[in-house]
Amino acid sequence: QVQLVESGGGSVQPGESLTLACQWSNYPLAGRYMAWFRQAPGKEREGVAAKSTGGDNTAFAGSVKGRFTVSQDNIKMTMYLHMTNLKPEDSAIYYCAARSAQRRPDNPLLAASYMYWGRGTQVTVST
């Protein structure tokens, strides 16, 4: 059974940085995609960043491009979301997602492209 566990959330001030981690288990990594989504109260879940597990193909939402990056450590079985210059509008619950199918998704930032989900970690950006 695939499991994804997020960590690293917290409360920060605008302009600060935060790194989220997503540790996976029982996930066949080869040739797939993993992603980060977020959902703020009263809003739909939106794709933030995605990365191919076997290479460096990435995708980012326009709102975070240039501020967020993703990386993975296969030894630690962990994917990271590095967030810089955080803004109040970045406040949300952040979810890690992993794709079941091996082919590249048509839209790597679409929630329907992913089968496996973590429970989320809260990020709050405020003064």
Side-chain angles (χ1 to χ4, degrees), residues 10-126:
S11 295
V12 297
Q13 295 188 348
E16 293 186 338
S17 300
L18 200 62
T19 293
L20 305 182
C22 170
Q23 187 168 39
W24 68 77
S25 59
N26 300 319
Y27 182 55
L29 198 62
R32 290 175 169 81
Y33 267 72
M34 296 184 72
W36 288 94
F37 288 75
R38 66 186 182 188
Q39 188 166 20
K43 295 189 177 181
E44 293 187 356
R45 188 170 298 191
E46 65 168 336
V48 174
K51 182 184 180 302
S52 59
T53 58
D56 294 326
N57 291 326
T58 57
F60 294 93
S63 59
V64 307
K65 197 170 292 184
R67 299 190 296 124
F68 291 12
T69 58
V70 289
S71 64
Q72 68 184 70
D73 184 328
N74 291 346
I75 294 176
K76 294 183 178 179
M77 297 192 296
T78 301
M79 181 176 69
Y80 300 96
L81 179 67
H82 308 280
M83 306 183 292
T84 65
N85 191 21
L86 283 162
K87 304 175 181 181
E89 52 263 41
D90 294 318
S91 297
I93 299 175
Y94 283 71
Y95 298 91
C96 175
R99 183 166 167 80
S100 174
Q102 283 187 297
R103 64 176 178 82
R104 186 187 188 280
D106 293 334
N107 184 346
L109 297 180
L110 184 66
S113 298
Y114 298 88
M115 174 174 287
Y116 307 110
W117 293 83
R119 295 188 174 184
T121 185
Q122 176 73 49
V123 173
T124 302
V125 185
S126 65

